[in-house]
Structure formats: structure tokens, C-alpha cells
Amino acid sequence: MTGVTHQKWWGWGIEGVAFTYDNKPNMPAFVLDKVGIDLTAPGTPPPSFADLDVPATRVDDALADALREAVGVAHVVIDDMERVIHTYGKGLADLVKVRAGILPRVPDVVVYPGTEDELREVVDATVAADAVLIPFGGGSNISGSLTPRGDETRVVVSVDTGRLNRVLEVDEHAGLARVQAGVLGPDLEEQLQERGWTSGHQPDSFRHSTLGGWIATRSSGMQSDKYGDIADIARGMRVVQPGKVLELRPLPATSSGPSVREMVLGSEGRLGVISEAWINVHRLPENREIIAYLFPSWGAALKAMHAVSISDAQPSVTRISDANETAFSFSTQKESTGVSGKVQDVLFETLRRRGWDLDKVCLSYVGYEGGAARIKADKGVVAKIVRSHGGIRLGKGPGALYDQKKFDTPYIRDFLLDIGALADVSETAAPWSALMDLYTNTMRQARAAFDELGVRGFIMCHLSHSYHSGACLYFTFALASPHSDPQLQLDQYWHVKAAVQQSFIDSRGTISHHHGVGTDHAPWLEEDISPAGTDVMVALLRGVDPRANLNPGAILPAHREWTTGTIPTASSGDGTATNGSSAAGDGARRPAART
Amino acid sequence: MTGVTHQKWWGWGIEGVAFTYDNKPNMPAFVLDKVGIDLTAPGTPPPSFADLDVPATRVDDALADALREAVGVAHVVIDDMERVIHTYGKGLADLVKVRAGILPRVPDVVVYPGTEDELREVVDATVAADAVLIPFGGGSNISGSLTPRGDETRVVVSVDTGRLNRVLEVDEHAGLARVQAGVLGPDLEEQLQERGWTSGHQPDSFRHSTLGGWIATRSSGMQSDKYGDIADIARGMRVVQPGKVLELRPLPATSSGPSVREMVLGSEGRLGVISEAWINVHRLPENREIIAYLFPSWGAALKAMHAVSISDAQPSVTRISDANETAFSFSTQKESTGVSGKVQDVLFETLRRRGWDLDKVCLSYVGYEGGAARIKADKGVVAKIVRSHGGIRLGKGPGALYDQKKFDTPYIRDFLLDIGALADVSETAAPWSALMDLYTNTMRQARAAFDELGVRGFIMCHLSHSYHSGACLYFTFALASPHSDPQLQLDQYWHVKAAVQQSFIDSRGTISHHHGVGTDHAPWLEEDISPAGTDVMVALLRGVDPRANLNPGAILPAHREWTTGTIPTASSGDGTATNGSSAAGDGARRPAART
């Protein structure tokens, strides 16, 4: 009908694809031991859409007709399945809610513009009707940025960019491509690679996220050390706003005042709908290798990655897993691949004899791209650093395996939910000098949160992106909830999530390195960028969208939102702006704006 | 008294230091031939301050007392010399005006806060009195960002950050330094280098510009290919705003919504006064070399630099001069240094025999930093690219010379003004695919402007910063004005400057790569970032500063400014935002906001 395919309405990824432990013989014992979850217990079947009580659409005929006029009858969809699909992203809370049929507010209509002109008409009609507009790309958002506010009384229009999926032109001389914002990762790479180019952008969500979504949330990919974050990659853009189009031409750099480009990046729909972007593209690399290394401890691995980041080497990927994630990785390996079975036993025995504590081993991947000479030189620099930090080289096998399987991880959350376990992620970035404490504090705070709940829980971490002055740490946590009641599950989830996010802030980290703010991280925004920084953000968003039609609720904490008719005041009131410790220290505080 | 030293009130740099052609035997003939200017003609002596008619200060006792209360009596200065020094930057128009005593509006008082707390009191007192606040760093701005509007009726306070000049701490682990914003380039590097660190930031203005100024104008240094532009270097910052401090912690990256950090960058005082910043710092490089090359043509040189930018090499400096700038460089060499005299004759004879057209020769510098192996590999990659584009290696001599003399160039403008010649610069950035046309168009437009004026003129260009998808082109132009009347000189200057800036916009370039917008480039802002982009900028600036106390007139074109009491409307009115060709094509249009 619309020609746009979607992820499962109730979970991650493609209908029919699911995680299985069948080919991972060590995994059930590991998970039972660490988290107290029995993977072999019978899981609940996927939820049935028929059980959902979907609230009726509130769209009126005038707006619906205007939208049909804009995009054609076939591309204005009011059926319940489509509306539910466009209600949530894929955060853990989203999954719990949609499975349980918790649907306080569902978009009233889904619109699929096929051109920028159609998109302009959609935006104008929506705002003219004083309705709310929420852009929707691949639906993979995990920070709560796609969901209408629970108390939204206006009509809500979800604008799905799925039909805007073409590479429009490649400037081969400049290494720039003009691409429509609704293109999914694999589709983008296919169109680019058939012309000999790549964007190099590979977020974990790659298969189910779009260029527009990457820009709107300041996404980062696993090869960002070489290709840059999307903030580096996206050079020009067009954003459809009420009555006009914001046009930023592709420039390698500019000093034209405060960067409007960097305002669109991370704007999560609040400045309009991104219709297309000019992105840096690169020739496919001559060679590409991912090498695995092992370190005797997290501290040693962290020091080694820091040394690599300030060395003469310029790898494309720098990744280290802590001991927990390393153990998890080994437990999920298939019998026939990677460093497994007998080979692994022999390796570990050797390391034990060398004095390694096998409970502390950390797995690392470093990627290399370019000409043979460059790769050789970079590998030499890294090898020396690895050795000087007590590490060893495992080789290409595990790296190749990681490279193949890197996009499969998100499926595991749905499998765990089926058997009553809650798993999700939180990630941050901080200076190198803060990372060890941030890691230790976050592990401690998460465990304290598990204890407070009286549940078994597990938390693991990897470093995924390195910069000159710091890096991104990416935490995954899981807990065995005793509850089947979704609200009780959510309470437990938010208790842990909040402890982790608060630890980031208290440990000199940011609330998110590459997942955006959404509603889930918004309660910490003022601590992240200071109250005065939040005032600046409000001034910007409110000045552009005085009636709050553009994805209200995203980015800003609820008490900083405005509605039509409220008196504009940019200041939070008390005039002070020291960015100290948490005002309340309420580890249980949670994003409530949209529930 | 205040302990802060300043540049000459009437020109660039330090009193007593001046450009001379005495040791450059080939220069007079070159300049006479190319621009029709006789360097040996008697110059006018420096202007006399006694001849100036400085308007009386308008500061009232209440504000003056509040400022003295804030910073101490010694640090509130109302004398005419200080006020004139703080009236202008060092653009060509600034120099013409200050020499001629054209002083429509002079800051009424200059204040030197010694701490951030004092700065807070200064900002609060100034805004409470509804006065205008203009931050002043090294005073080297060349885009008109420091000058009060000619029709400003409110009291104008120039806040000089010169006493805020310390490196407060170095985070050796993270490679970050916390530095007060008023520190000048050499002072910063001295404080860093005595601890073994460098910022790597070396703009042409280095000796007379400050960290705060670099951030406020989105500065870029000649080693930006390795160290990044200031937008990459400055990771955290504190900005004093009325009643509060905007605090951004140092983060390697973040996805906390639209980047407030990137709003402060380039804000030219309109979001407050930057008090300090966390900047990336690096260990001093093991080795550092600048190698000179020659190319047979600008086209070949441009292609070679592009090839370097997408190669496996990562040089610290990539610079090529066009044929005019190359000829100028050779003409200004001292007899005893570089590739000069006999050596140069032999070299050129050899090239001629090889078939080179010596009128088209282009000089290039490429810088290398790091370990010996890395430098060797990078030089090898570059050497191969140079050869394949018909170029040759000149060696280290000219590179070392360039490295020593790189900060001396601005002195030449004052010398030329003394003999009635007007010289200035304009720089831009554009995609690689646009650069050759941008270059050709700009040379043509400048020459057309010279012809329209009926004057002899000269324009030359270099490429100074390379990126994946484009580069910065930096133009220097000079004309022999027949006029001694400063207003007629200014008319001629703006005629050429406007032609150059319009060519940038019409040729897919930005209005400035690293000099900021100020008032000089503001007339082209809407063409650069589109009218809708300007609406976004207005929303931001106006939301933060509704009464226009913070450096009004900078960045925005005059018709987008607001004053206390005007009705807020962010839109320019017509609702369209196509970013097409110049609305009027008026090559003579000029920045009028502050004259």
C-alpha cells in the first residue's frame, strides 16, 4: 500500500527473525549463573494484536482531507496497526508498554509523503490545524522520542519518511552524496556501494534506522573513529518547517555564527522534518581488517585504548569489552566459530599459566582500513601498545565474527522479555580521566539498584568510540523481574535506568553519547548542559515553534515545556545556574512526561 | 595600570614593529609592476592621536560606580585612548576609519574584570542599566564585530578580557586544559609548553588574538588539518550571561540535543561573555617538518591537495599558493634566505627547460608531525601524489622560513596604507568540486571590480585548510586608490570586498571559513544559511537577549535586528526560503549597520 515496511509492532527487527540460544551451548548456564534467568524456561508467545485496546483516532475530516490532498489517499493511513507501530520506538519501556497494550496516546494518523513538496504540504496542513507533528524514520529510537505525550489533546500526526529513500546524486569530485532522509542504512549503503562509495556510518541500529533519524539524534557508528559521527558526516541539510524550508548547503566548514547545522543535529523533530542531507561519502577501502586482542584487565584495556587514541595510528574501530561483556561474548559463541571450544580452552590455560585472572579478561576489537602500508603501520603501533599493556593478539577470526553479527544483538531483548527478564542499554561519553571512576561508579550504582529492588541483575560495558580527550562507554543491563505486571516491571526498569543515568552525570559523563535525549534522558538535561544551557535550548526551540506543534516533549524536561498561550519566559526562574550535584538525588526519578 | 597591553591604536601589532621592504630587494619592482604602487614613495607618518576628535563618554555615574564596585577603580577606564583602542578591530575599513578619526560611536567605558565573579557583576550591572556590552579580546577581529553601532543611543561598555589570561589546570590524563578566555596565543602556548603541552592552534592572528575570540568567531589555525578548528578543540566552556553562567562540561562528544556548545562557538558576544574554556591539548610532537613543493599550475596543485586529503597520509598543514601569491612570496624573500637569488635562478631555469610556464608556478607547504615512521610514511604518500601531479619537492628551507615568518604578514597593510594602497583579505570554504570555479569567478569578479573603479588592483589566493569534502580558499587583494579622502577609499574598498564575498556565495562557498560574520559579512548571511536558517539564528539570539544588550549588530543583517520593545517575530515575512541567487546582484552593497 504505502510500500514502506516496518519492524514488528511489538519488538525489534523483522517479523520471523528472533534470537535463539540453540546454537550457543554455553549461554544458558552463563545467564542462569549471572542473572538467575533460566533461558530454557518456556517463554510467552508474542502478544496478539487483537488483544490491544487501541484508542480511536481523533483526526477530523478537514485535516485528514488536507493530508490526503497533500500526499494522495493511499499515503494517509488511519488503521490501528499502523498507528500502534508509530506510537513507540524500541526502548525497553516501549516494548513492555506495547506488549501490554498500554497506549495512553496513539498517533491519530500516519502520513507518508513521497516528495519534499508533499512533505511541505503535510507540515503546513498539520501546523495550520494546530496539530502535533512527530517525524518517524525507522522507528528504532530508544530514548522515547517518538511517542506522543500521554495528555496530548491535539490531533497527533506521525510523518513517516519511509518513501523518501533515494540517493539523489553523488558529487564524485567532492565525496558528497545528496540523500533523502528516510533511507534505511542497508538501502543507503546499497545505493552508494553500487556506485563505489560508502558512508561508513554503521550504528547498531543500522538495519532499522534512517539518515534523518541519525541526524535528528546525533547518531554515531561503530567506525566513527575513521568516518566521524553523523555530526561530522552530514555537511548540508534541508529541513521542512512551517511555511518554509531551512536550507544548509554542504560546506566542509564555516564560521557563519552559531552553527545552525549543529542545531538541526540532535533536534529530534523540534525544528521541523529533515527531508534530505548532503553527507560525506568515501571510496570503499582498499583493505579492511578487524583484529581481536585480549587484555588481562579492564584497567589495562582502557589504558591501551587511550594510548591508541593519542598515538600515530588511526584505526577505524576501537572497542574493548569489560570482563562481564567478554564472558557474555564467549558464552554466546557458536561451537564452530571464533575462539571457541578446544581452542579457547587451550588459550585460557596458557593465559592462566601466565598469571592472568581469567575472570578479568577483556576482549578488544580494533579495525583498520586503507592501503596495505598504512594498515601494516597502524597494526604495528597498536601491537606495541597492546603488548606494553600486557595484552595479546587473538587474530582475525573473532573480529570477522563480530563484524558479521554486530547488528543482531537487539533481538535478544525481546527473547528475554518473553521469559520475564528486562534488558536495556545506556551509553555516555566522558574524558579519559573520568572513565575508570565512571565505570566503577556506574557498576556500583546499578548493583545497588538491583539490591534495592531485591532482584538478580547483570551489567556489562564496552568502550565503543575513542576521541582525543575521551571515549564513549556503553552499558547493557538486565534484571530478572519477579513481576508479570507491566507497571511493576517498568518501575523496576526505571529504578535501574535512573541509577545508571545519574551515575553518568555524577561521574563527569553526558546523558547520552549517541542515542539522543528523547523523553527518557530529558530529566537530566539541566544537569548535563546546565540550567542556563537549557535556557538557551528553550530559547531556540520556542522561538522556532512558539505553539509547540513540533514533537513537543522531546529533549526538554517536562517543567521546561510550553504550550500555546503560555507567557514566554526563557529563564527557569531562580536566576542561578551552578551545575552541581543532583537537586534531589532521587535515584527513582523517571521520565514521566509521556507515560 | 590595568596591566593589559594593546595593539597600536591605529594599526596592526606592537608599537615600534613595522613592515619594511629594505631587506626584500625584489619587492618594489614586483609591486610597482603588479599593482602600480611605488613602495619607495614617501609614506605618510603614523596618525597623531591628538588630531582625533573623540566624542565624550556617555556613561553615567550610576553605571560607572557599579562597574568600579565590580572590578575596582583601577580597572574601569574612561580615557580617550583606551576608548578608541576598543572601538575597532583591524579590518581594512577599521584602519582607514581610525586613522581618519571617523568615530561615530566609541565605547563609553572600558572594563577589565579580573575574575569570573567580577565579570558576572560587570555583565549584570551593564544589562541592568540597559547598556550595550561588547566583549573585547585581542582586538584583532577583521569582520567588524567589535564596533558599536553608529546610531547606538545606549551606553556602550567594552569588556576587555585581558586580565583573564591564565591556564587554570591541565588534565594530563585526558589531554584537556582549563584556560581563561582572555589569554593571548603566545601566552597560552608559553603556559602550556612549560608543562609539555600545546594547543596546536595557530591562526594568522595568533600573537594578538585570544582563546575567547577564537571561540566567539569559530577560528581556525594553520595546523587545523591535524589539531582541528577551534570548534573541535574547545570541548567545554563557561559563558557569563545576565544573571547566570552557562556551563558546558568538557565532553569528547554528546547527543544532548541541538549543540549548545556549537551555539556559543561563533556567537561573537551575542550569547554572553566567554570566561573560560576546556580545550584539547597535545604533547609536543616528537618531530615536526614543513616541506615546500612546487606545482606547474594552480589546477595541478588543487588536484594534488585534494588527493592528499583523501589519502592515507594525515599531514598537519596543507597549503598551496596560486601563481600570484607564489610570485609575491618570491618577491618578498630576503636575499639570504629560502629559495632565492642564484639558487632560485638555477631552479627556475631547470623548470623552464622542463616546459613549465614560470608565470603559473604554485608554491605549496605541507606539514608533518609525529613519530619518525609516521612522518616518513606520510611524506612518501605525499611525494608520490606531488609527482603524479607534475610537482617537485623544494625541501625544508622555505618551509622553515614560512614557519618563522607566518605571523608577520598583517603588518604589511599598515605600510601600504601609509602610501595610499588598500589591502585586505576574504576567505571562504567550499566543496572540492566547487573550488576551481570559485577561484576563477572570484579572480574575475575582483578584477571586474578594479576595472569598474578604474584602479590598478591585485588579488592572490591560497588554500589553507583541507577537509574530506572541501577546503578553505583565502584571498588577499590590494588596490592603488587614487583618493586620499577616507570615505572615497572606503567606497572603493567595499566595492571590491562585496564583489569577492558575492562571488563566494554565488560559487557554492560560505561567507567566511574562520573570520566570523561580524557586520562586514552579515549582508550575505541569509544567502549563506538561507532565510529560514537566519530565522533560527534570530530565534536563538533574541530568545537569549530580548533587549539586545549583547553586542547588537554582529552576525545578523541590519534588517533582522530587534530593539527593546519591538514586537517579536522570528520570520522575515514572506514565508519562502529558497536560497537562490543574490536578490539584488548589487555588487556595491556594503555592511552599513555600524558605519
Side-chain angles (χ1 to χ4, degrees), chain A residues 171 173 243-247 249 254-256 259 262 281 306 312 371 374 433 468 509-510 512 516 528 530 533 535 575, chain B residues 171 173 243-244 246-247 249 254-256 259 262 281 306 312 371 374 433 468 509-510 512 516 528 530 533 535 575 577:
Chain A
D171 179 341
H173 187 172
K244 57 196 170 184
V245 178
L246 164 57
E247 177 179 357
R249 301 168 305 151
T254 171
S255 62
S256 294
S259 172
E262 289 269 6
V281 292
H306 179 216
D312 280 346
R374 171 62 182 274
S433 53
H468 169 76
T510 180
S512 171
D528 196 357
S530 81
D535 290 347
Chain B
D171 179 341
H173 187 171
K244 56 196 172 184
L246 164 56
E247 178 180 357
R249 303 168 305 152
T254 172
S255 62
S256 294
S259 172
E262 290 269 7
V281 292
H306 180 216
D312 280 348
R374 172 62 182 274
S433 53
H468 169 75
T510 180
S512 171
D528 197 359
S530 80
D535 290 346

Side-chain angles (χ1 to χ4, degrees), chain B residues 224-235:
Chain B
S224 67
D225 286 19
K226 173 183 165 72
Y227 294 95
D229 300 322
I230 201 71
D232 306 300
I233 294 169
R235 303 311 316 168

Side-chain angles (χ1 to χ4, degrees), chain B residues 48-124:
Chain B
S48 162
F49 193 77
D51 294 342
L52 263 52
D53 183 14
V54 183
T57 181
R58 304 186 195 185
V59 72
D60 53 280
D61 288 348
L63 177 54
D65 286 347
L67 295 173
R68 290 189 191 104
E69 181 75 25
V71 301
V73 173
H75 301 121
V76 177
V77 184
I78 312 189
D79 86 41
D80 284 351
M81 174 63 92
E82 285 265 356
R83 290 172 55 222
V84 168
I85 284 171
H86 290 80
T87 301
Y88 289 117
K90 302 297 181 189
L92 190 275
D94 296 332
L95 302 183
V96 169
K97 284 187 228 170
V98 77
R99 281 167 167 254
I102 299 173
L103 297 164
R105 193 72 180 86
V106 170
D108 299 297
V109 54
V110 183
V111 190
Y112 294 86
T115 64
E116 185 186 278
D117 281 345
E118 291 184 4
L119 176 57
R120 292 181 69 157
E121 289 186 50
V122 167
V123 170
D124 289 350

Side-chain angles (χ1 to χ4, degrees), chain B residues 486-539:
Chain B
Q487 201 54 62
L488 295 177
Q489 288 185 332
L490 289 172
D491 286 346
Q492 294 196 320
Y493 165 71
W494 286 123
H495 187 72
V496 178
K497 172 87 176 171
V500 169
Q501 292 293 139
Q502 189 62 48
S503 171
F504 292 169
I505 287 288
D506 294 342
S507 308
R508 296 167 56 200
T510 180
I511 49 178
S512 171
H513 168 266
H514 61 274
H515 287 161
V517 186
T519 49
D520 293 2
H521 305 143
W524 291 271
L525 184 73
E526 289 180 303
E527 288 182 79
D528 197 359
I529 66 171
S530 80
T534 309
D535 290 346
V536 170
M537 193 88 90
V538 171

Side-chain angles (χ1 to χ4, degrees), chain A residues 69-92:
Chain A
E69 183 75 24
V71 301
V73 173
H75 302 120
V76 176
V77 185
I78 312 190
D79 88 39
D80 285 351
M81 174 62 93
E82 285 265 355
R83 290 173 56 223
V84 167
I85 285 172
H86 289 81
T87 301
Y88 290 117
K90 301 298 181 189
L92 188 276

Side-chain angles (χ1 to χ4, degrees), chain A residues 192-469:
Chain A
L192 288 177
Q193 291 189 20
E194 72 191 17
R195 305 181 204 202
W197 297 89
T198 180
S199 74
H201 191 65
Q202 294 198 338
D204 291 354
S205 63
F206 180 74
R207 288 185 184 146
H208 303 289
S209 57
T210 61
L211 173 59
W214 300 337
I215 293 172
T217 57
R218 305 186 76 94
S219 163
S220 189
M222 52 189 76
Q223 300 181 146
S224 67
D225 287 18
K226 173 182 165 72
Y227 294 95
D229 299 323
I230 200 71
D232 305 300
I233 294 169
R235 304 310 316 167
M237 48 195 73
R238 293 177 67 91
V239 184
V240 174
Q241 299 182 309
K244 57 196 170 184
V245 178
L246 164 57
E247 177 179 357
L248 301 170
R249 301 168 305 151
L251 294 165
T254 171
S255 62
S256 294
S259 172
V260 176
R261 191 182 69 88
E262 289 269 6
M263 298 180 214
V264 174
L265 285 154
S267 57
E268 302 190 19
R270 299 209 64 159
L271 296 178
V273 186
I274 299 161
S275 63
E276 61 178 57
W278 280 101
I279 59 171
N280 281 350
V281 292
H282 301 253
R283 286 295 180 191
L284 293 165
E286 233 178 295
N287 305 282
R288 184 167 181 278
E289 281 182 27
I290 296 183
I291 309 285
Y293 305 89
L294 285 183
F295 289 95
S297 72
W298 176 244
L302 211 49
K303 281 180 186 156
M305 279 309 107
H306 179 216
V308 169
S309 80
I310 55 173
S311 76
D312 280 346
Q314 303 243 345
S316 56
V317 177
T318 51
R319 186 184 171 103
I320 47 176
S321 292
D322 74 350
N324 279 0
E325 194 172 284
T326 300
F328 177 78
S329 283
F330 282 125
S331 85
T332 59
Q333 281 188 337
K334 296 180 189 176
E335 190 66 56
S336 57
T337 56
V339 183
S340 58
K342 295 292 176 205
V343 179
Q344 188 173 312
D345 292 346
V346 171
L347 171 71
F348 277 32
E349 189 46 42
T350 309
L351 294 177
R352 199 191 320 269
R353 269 193 252 113
R354 282 199 202 175
W356 286 38
D357 179 346
L358 295 189
D359 289 339
K360 294 187 175 168
V361 171
C362 291
L363 180 61
S364 168
Y365 297 113
V366 178
Y368 305 90
E369 287 192 6
R374 171 62 182 274
I375 287 191
K376 190 180 168 199
D378 280 1
K379 284 200 292 192
V381 170
V382 172
K384 204 171 157 187
I385 291 170
V386 168
R387 278 197 304 274
S388 72
H389 291 82
I392 61 160
R393 180 182 188 280
L394 273 190
K396 292 188 198 182
L401 185 65
Y402 161 73
D403 210 24
Q404 284 161 28
K405 304 294 287 177
K406 61 197 173 190
F407 301 129
D408 292 340
T409 314
Y411 283 100
I412 201 171
R413 278 182 321 164
D414 298 305
F415 175 86
L416 290 173
L417 266 181
D418 286 343
I419 56 172
L422 312 174
D424 209 22
V425 298
S426 277
E427 39 73 59
T428 185
W432 288 108
S433 53
L435 288 181
M436 194 65 198
D437 281 352
L438 186 150
Y439 173 80
T440 308
N441 291 344
T442 303
M443 300 303 274
R444 188 190 303 126
Q445 292 302 324
R447 288 184 186 124
F450 296 143
D451 289 347
E452 284 151 19
L453 297 173
V455 299
R456 293 282 304 276
F458 184 68
I459 181 164
M460 61 189 190
C461 175
H462 65 260
L463 177 152
S464 59
H465 310 263
S466 298
Y467 304 85
H468 169 76
S469 60

